[in-house]
Amino acid sequence: QAHTAVLASPEKRLLTQPRTALTVETAATKTFTRVREKSSLTRSGLCPLQATDRMRRFHCAFMAVSFLGVSVAQISPRYAKNVTVFHVNPVEYGVAPINMNTADIRGDIYFDLRSKAMPIECRSKDPHSAWDCDNAEVANNSALVITKLVLEIDSRVGIYGRCNVCVNGTDHFGNNSCTNGVYDCDCGEYNGPPKVCSAVVGMENVSRLWENYKCSASEPKWECWRGNTGKKMGGLWYSTIDSGYCGDGSEPAPPGCQWRVAEFVKRVNKSCSDNVIYGEVESVGSSCFNSCQDSGVGNERNLSSTCWISCFYDSVLGADAGSPGGVIGGMTVDSLIAAFELPFASSEPEKKGCPPLDP
């Protein structure tokens, strides 16, 4: 996915280099073209010579890499492990999560749900909220996409790197001389000096971050919602660094590489995914949402409405979760996972699916 809180909050995630990551399509397609007359993929019709659909050509390129024996990145078989992950990023960036944070489904749900209170959080002028309010994977929702991938990683994971896009010369985690629009990963202590990440895949156990959290009387509701969302959902976050990237298979893998994209599953507009998820939550808390004077539901919802936001968290976490000592309840974890999977399970709106985007 990407994952970020601020300074005092134990959370984080994010991004990659611009669209250069998918060189596999170019490299493998060139190789495929050179021998297409001899390839049974072409003769079988699975990869027609004049294929124009970009996503089909993308998958054909992967098939060509395998068929033609182009060197595929290798991770030690003893430690290789496949993980299904999600990541959120602006549409102009690539699919391969180079210098990015991703998450399993529970970790991604946490990152997404914690941001729904951002209109309230950013109105508070809390200096600790600066990164949340500027976060390119949260604040610019109209330009965001969600990508579902299967990564093959070396399971000997290490320190989690907080990877974020540089905004106004800072990553908000110690690097105040970064280049705007470039993603920076920091493996130092929270609130400590920046530290360069090693090549190994980093992992953060969100459940452990929040397992002892208790909302205090000094915290605003949005802080309590955020902490209790982490406590309820947990999950795993990953950081994948450029120095550990095995490559796209078009060239021999670097010695000791740590991760690669094993499968591109689907990419969707975040606005479509959000609409599906909001609809599921509104159906659970309909009586609360219908009581809001400044917001409706569906196309009439007002995401900046304090009433709508409160109803959202009451439905997801239970009505007491925003108060000190409040009990966490609301929708079951399984029902939340099912709601978040809907956009990826189908491309048909009547089935609550989202159309796929080109990688």
Side-chain angles (χ1 to χ4, degrees), residues 179-223:
T179 302
N180 288 340
V182 175
Y183 296 94
D184 180 71
C185 297
D186 176 21
C187 282
E189 296 292 331
Y190 283 95
N191 299 322
K195 183 179 179 180
V196 175
C197 296
S198 71
V200 301
V201 174
M203 190 182 79
E204 187 84 275
N205 187 322
V206 179
S207 301
R208 291 178 183 171
L209 286 178
W210 293 105
E211 61 185 354
N212 296 318
Y213 174 77
K214 293 182 180 180
C215 174
S216 70
S218 63
E219 291 179 300
K221 272 200 168 192
W222 57 266
E223 286 275 20

Side-chain angles (χ1 to χ4, degrees), residues 10-11 106-107 109-111 113-114 205-213 222-237 313 316-317 328 333:
E11 33 182 353
R106 293 181 68 142
I109 292 173
Y110 162 60
F111 178 72
L113 293 183
R114 62 165 296 282
N205 187 322
V206 179
S207 301
R208 291 178 183 171
L209 286 178
W210 293 105
E211 61 185 354
N212 296 318
Y213 174 77
W222 57 266
E223 286 275 20
C224 296
W225 288 328
R226 176 166 59 192
N228 282 326
T229 299
K231 193 169 186 176
K232 177 171 182 168
M233 294 309 307
L236 299 173
W237 289 346
Y313 284 106
V316 169
L317 298 175
I328 300 174
V333 170

Side-chain angles (χ1 to χ4, degrees), residues 9 51 80 292 355-356:
S9 300
C292 294

